[in-house]
Amino acid sequence: MAYIQGNTGEWEMVIGLEVHAQIISNSKLFSGAATEFGAAPNAQVSLVDAGFPGMLPVINEICIEQAVRTGLGLKAEINMTSVFDRKNYFYADLPNGYQISQFTQPIVGKGEILLDLADGSTQTVGITRLHLEQDAGKSMHDQSPNETYVDLNRAGVALMEIVSEPDMRSGEEAGAYLKKLRAILRYLETCDGNMEEGSMRCDVNLSMRRKGVTTLGTRCEIKNVNSIRFVQQAIEFEAVRQVEILEAGGEIKQETRLWDTTKGETRSMRSKEDAHDYRYFPDPDLLPLVLDPKMVADIKAHLPELPDDKRARFISEYGLKPYDASVLVAEKPSAEFFEKVAKGRDGKLAANWVTGDFFGALNKLGKTIETSPLSADALGGLIDLISDNTISGRIAKDVFEEMLSSGKAAAQIVEEKGLRQVTDTGAIEKSIDEILAANPDKVAEYKSGKDKLFGFFVGQIMKSTGGKANPAMLNDLLKKKLLA
Ligand code: ADP
Ligand code: MG
């Protein structure tokens, strides 16, 4: 747990996150209008979405199933009865003058998320609730110098608002939470998790308290931060801002702030409204939502293997280190790629190659698993050559580079370039004898106790064999020779 050092002592961050996740569905929460991203403005608006008088909302069953699926993926209670409420406020992009949301009786109650931290440890963060609500439209201020336009394509699109307990204590933990939540949503295929396109948006709630204090301080909320990196930066900035105020004897005003990405600071937007400001009341157009137990059971029975289970299986089945397993399961495509490489091979070796050289190369080339120049089979072929001692791990690195640039198979490169490892004792011994004979002074020093010279001999002999001597055999033989 990280504390912040102030002038008068240490401070602890308390962070709770609200995430708005757009549900993957073809049509909106209460209308048949399409939800596809990038359509021309107002091309996907039904009369319900535009708030025409007399229009009635009709619930989209797919959205309900998606919320239940997400709830189950978050190991949360599913509320068999929930209620839709009107949250009243005025805004140009909200034609109805209210948003249909859920307030006192959300569809999903308490759950949890397991964070995978960089040191390999895990930590549980509580989920307070998940409720369904409509998205608002979008005001466009940049289309005309003196007018604002409204695009209602997004109005009425189904969102899940996922609220965490104030269980996080650092920017790193908040980042780990978002990554894990996004992974779960993507595994479940209930939200694409794309923060740049706004299909996952995060509000950060943060308060500070002195180390050792257990009650909560007054929080500020930073609205709609649209990348994990920005969330972490906003937290770092906001924590220092609050500590400075508190140490100067001031008070934190509960307010809504925004993160200015160019200035790298949070700025006050408005004082925080409370629930009663919204005059919530049950939407008279909608009956309470009562779930069919069979539907819930059915979704539960067909849940995919989720990141935590996959991680546990990777650890037990392939003997991976917890951190490597977390890295591999963080995205479904990397987990699938790894399993293809590891199938029938040494799992640890496969994990080292996938998370090390392979991810490194993708990074350098600006590629993803989907656009990778190297298939899982091709990488597997390289690993086979290491496992059966055809090449050493050292030579494998060169072969790997050559595979990337030429697209050739590992075995072909090894044959063409004559890179087969020398496992012939006679040949290795011959090289050892030559090097020892050429360095009598060093041999004498070694024998008088300068152990470090062993590495020097290994280096020289490797060089003389073009890096092809089998390292284990070379070590054994060299030791024997030097003892003689
Ligand atoms: P709203 O922001 O809509 O009023 P809530 O009261 O449910 O909603 O709180 C929203 C978020 O703020 C939750 O994630 C919660 O964990 C977090 N939170 C509440 N109090 C604090 C606090 N004192 N410090 C930090 N986070 C807090
Ligand atoms: Mg809030």
Side-chain angles (χ1 to χ4, degrees):
M1 193 174 304
Y3 293 101
I4 289 192
Q5 183 64 51
N7 292 323
T8 61
E10 287 186 290
W11 295 82
E12 184 180 42
M13 297 185 198
V14 175
I15 303 164
L17 300 178
E18 292 162 89
V19 170
H20 286 92
Q22 184 182 322
I23 289 180
I24 295 177
S25 66
N26 293 330
S27 52
K28 297 184 181 180
L29 184 53
F30 296 110
S31 86
T35 57
E36 214 171 314
F37 181 79
N42 296 309
Q44 297 170 347
V45 187
S46 76
L47 297 175
V48 178
D49 311 321
F52 274 47
M55 293 296 116
L56 291 174
V58 178
I59 190 86
N60 178 349
E61 194 174 351
I62 299 291
C63 297
I64 306 289
E65 291 172 7
Q66 292 288 57
V68 169
R69 190 169 287 120
T70 306
L72 292 171
L74 297 173
K75 301 193 182 74
E77 300 157 12
I78 305 299
N79 293 328
M80 298 310 284
T81 301
S82 64
V83 172
F84 286 102
D85 299 282
R86 289 186 181 181
K87 180 179 182 181
N88 300 279
Y89 65 98
F90 173 79
Y91 210 75
D93 58 24
L94 188 75
N96 272 318
Y98 60 84
Q99 176 191 27
I100 305 178
S101 181
Q102 297 190 304
F103 185 47
T104 53
Q105 287 176 265
I107 185 165
V108 175
K110 287 199 180 307
E112 62 181 45
I113 283 190
L114 206 62
L115 309 190
D116 304 305
L117 300 171
D119 63 1
S121 66
T122 56
Q123 186 192 323
T124 306
V125 170
I127 298 290
T128 314
R129 58 189 272 148
L130 175 158
H131 65 255
L132 278 165
E133 64 183 28
Q134 299 176 297
D135 205 348
K138 201 167 77 185
S139 297
M140 298 188 290
H141 307 290
D142 56 357
Q143 307 287 307
S144 151
N146 41 24
E147 271 152 315
T148 288
Y149 292 109
V150 172
D151 175 9
L152 293 180
N153 281 351
R154 231 175 47 187
V157 165
L159 299 180
M160 298 179 280
E161 178 167 336
I162 303 163
V163 182
S164 87
E165 293 289 307
D167 287 349
M168 286 157 275
R169 298 288 174 268
S170 66
E172 191 212 339
E173 289 178 14
Y177 173 88
L178 290 171
K179 281 183 200 152
K180 190 55 164 290
L181 175 59
R182 187 175 61 183
I184 292 171
L185 296 172
R186 285 177 171 169
Y187 271 65
L188 292 167
E189 295 178 18
T190 56
C191 167
D192 68 25
N194 189 333
M195 294 186 82
E196 294 77 50
E197 288 179 5
S199 42
M200 183 168 143
R201 313 194 278 270
C202 177
D203 301 344
V204 179
N205 293 272
L206 180 137
S207 63
M208 301 299 298
R209 63 186 176 194
R210 286 197 184 271
K211 184 176 174 177
V213 171
T214 52
T215 52
L216 293 174
T218 304
R219 70 181 151 125
C220 285
E221 179 186 43
I222 312 160
K223 272 258 177 244
N224 279 337
V225 192
N226 67 356
S227 83
I228 294 177
R229 195 163 51 91
F230 290 155
V231 165
Q232 290 175 321
Q233 288 173 359
I235 287 171
E236 303 301 325
F237 176 90
E238 181 62 15
V240 172
R241 188 188 73 87
Q242 290 188 14
V243 166
E244 281 172 1
I245 293 174
L246 292 167
E247 290 202 324
E251 267 180 25
I252 302 299
K253 277 187 299 188
Q254 184 166 317
E255 63 182 0
T256 299
R257 302 177 69 84
L258 53 81
W259 172 244
D260 184 325
T261 48
T262 40
K263 292 204 178 127
E265 61 182 31
T266 65
R267 239 195 348 264
S268 181
M269 229 166 106
R270 54 172 189 253
S271 71
K272 169 103 184 104
E273 52 296 278
D274 285 312
H276 62 250
D277 295 325
Y278 289 111
R279 300 287 187 273
Y280 279 100
F281 64 86
D283 191 318
D285 290 338
L286 291 158
L287 291 168
L289 177 67
V290 180
L291 301 180
D292 176 358
K294 192 176 158 301
M295 182 257 261
V296 178
D298 211 44
I299 293 174
K300 192 167 190 174
H302 292 97
L303 284 181
E305 183 181 39
L306 290 168
D308 291 333
D309 293 331
K310 214 185 260 304
R311 177 179 181 273
R313 184 166 64 76
F314 281 9
I315 294 171
S316 65
E317 197 172 318
Y318 299 105
L320 301 194
K321 282 185 284 203
Y323 180 72
D324 287 345
S326 308
V327 169
L328 287 168
V329 304
E331 301 284 350
K332 210 165 156 186
S334 27
E336 281 167 2
F337 187 93
F338 162 72
E339 285 219 89
K340 270 192 216 145
V341 176
K343 203 171 166 91
R345 300 192 175 94
D346 176 346
K348 270 191 195 158
L349 189 57
N352 284 343
W353 274 91
V354 173
T355 58
D357 295 76
F358 178 68
F359 281 176
L362 289 185
N363 229 335
K364 217 164 73 192
L365 298 167
K367 302 262 185 194
T368 64
I369 300 250
E370 286 87 352
T371 58
S372 164
L374 213 63
S375 70
D377 282 346
L379 184 57
L382 176 66
I383 292 171
D384 288 340
L385 297 180
I386 305 169
S387 297
D388 69 8
N389 273 323
T390 304
I391 54 174
S392 67
R394 175 75 266 302
I395 292 285
K397 304 251 176 199
D398 298 338
V399 176
F400 178 76
E401 290 302 324
E402 181 76 19
M403 289 170 79
L404 285 175
S405 56
S406 72
K408 288 181 186 167
Q412 188 187 351
I413 295 167
V414 169
E415 285 321 313
E416 282 177 8
K417 301 211 154 177
L419 296 173
R420 268 178 184 282
Q421 181 160 245
V422 180
T423 50
D424 163 2
T425 6
I428 297 175
E429 267 180 305
K430 188 164 160 278
S431 298
I432 295 176
D433 290 339
E434 281 166 15
I435 297 296
L436 296 187
N439 295 282
D441 44 339
K442 294 240 166 44
V443 174
E445 279 180 57
Y446 177 85
K447 289 191 169 161
S448 66
K450 220 173 160 193
D451 290 349
K452 266 194 263 164
L453 281 169
F454 193 79
F456 163 81
F457 294 125
V458 170
Q460 292 295 308
I461 297 157
M462 266 298 179
K463 210 160 127 197
S464 79
T465 61
K468 289 184 290 186
N470 176 297
M473 292 172 75
L474 164 56
N475 267 300
D476 278 357
L477 292 168
L478 179 61
K479 255 180 224 155
K480 278 188 202 130
K481 295 259 177 196
L482 285 169
L483 279 177

